[in-house]
Amino acid sequence: MTWGLLAAFAVHDLEELATLPGWAAAQVDRLRESHPRVPESVWSAMTVTPGHAATAIGLMGLVVGAASADGARTGGRSPFFQTVLAGFGLHAVSHVAQSAGLGRYTPGVVTAPLVVAPFSLWAWRELRRGGVLGEADARTTVAAAMLFPLGILGVHAAAFGVRRLARRAGPRRPAAPRRGGRAAADRSVTAQPGRPRKRA
């Protein structure tokens, strides 16, 4: 059950990884047409590239993997595991609500009710059956509801920073050849009418 959290996350986020960049680009194009006075730099900042999506999902996967490992180590008693599990379940509700509000497909809305919600409900039932949930489960749910949006923003901000550092650390482009020198001198001589071109 504890490692099932990581497995369910992987299935769900494969859908997001495959659809998020294209979907986000379509939304930016729609907003750009509706608000032509907004600077292009704003739309560029909102663009989600495949690399950014993969980095953000990978960072969130590290968090979920750590929670699953801690849950396995403690037999499901870990507050960290229970908080992430609650946030994962609430994630399904936000996906369905977002898609219903927009009236169209949003990334992750297929696996949210088919994978995320059923697994989360089953996992909570198993935790209750095992006697590892008490009065703290309500507080866990509230904490997850409050921390979940911050976690999403956090991984996207971290992904932006990681990719920016990677671009800075990457190989630099070769410098353009310096202008001037003998070739430039020859051109300048040729450009002057009536003056014979010097030979080597």
Side-chain angles (χ1 to χ4, degrees):
M1 181 268 296
T2 53
W3 288 110
L5 172 62
L6 182 59
F9 169 84
V11 172
H12 173 62
D13 277 58
L14 281 175
E15 179 193 357
E16 290 190 336
L17 181 61
T19 58
L20 180 58
W23 180 86
Q27 306 314 305
V28 169
D29 290 341
R30 186 179 292 109
L31 291 173
R32 183 187 284 113
E33 293 177 359
S34 303
H35 306 280
R37 295 184 179 181
V38 175
E40 185 61 28
S41 58
V42 175
W43 306 127
S44 297
M46 294 176 60
T47 301
V48 179
T49 64
H52 176 89
T55 303
I57 289 173
L59 292 173
M60 182 59 80
L62 292 177
V63 176
V64 176
S68 295
D70 201 36
R73 180 183 63 84
T74 61
R77 292 176 173 82
S78 164
F80 177 40
F81 167 75
Q82 293 182 11
T83 300
V84 173
L85 177 63
F88 186 61
L90 292 172
H91 186 48
V93 178
S94 66
H95 269 298
V96 175
Q98 182 185 35
S99 188
L102 294 176
R104 53 181 174 271
Y105 173 85
T106 57
V109 74
V110 174
T111 51
L114 296 180
V115 177
V116 178
F119 169 79
S120 299
L121 292 174
W122 171 78
W124 279 108
R125 187 165 56 247
E126 290 299 307
L127 289 176
R128 289 182 182 277
R129 184 179 302 173
V132 298
L133 282 180
E135 296 179 356
D137 59 342
R139 293 197 299 271
T140 299
T141 303
V142 173
M146 296 175 62
L147 294 176
F148 179 73
L150 296 178
I152 295 294
L153 293 175
V155 295
H156 279 286
F160 178 80
V162 167
R163 291 185 58 77
R164 187 173 183 179
L165 289 174
R167 285 194 297 268
R168 288 184 177 180
R172 297 182 178 179
R173 296 181 180 178
R178 296 179 59 185
R179 295 183 179 181
R182 183 172 180 178
D186 288 346
R187 287 195 299 271
S188 65
V189 171
T190 305
Q192 297 180 9
R195 185 173 179 179
R197 180 176 179 179
K198 296 182 179 180
R199 297 180 177 274

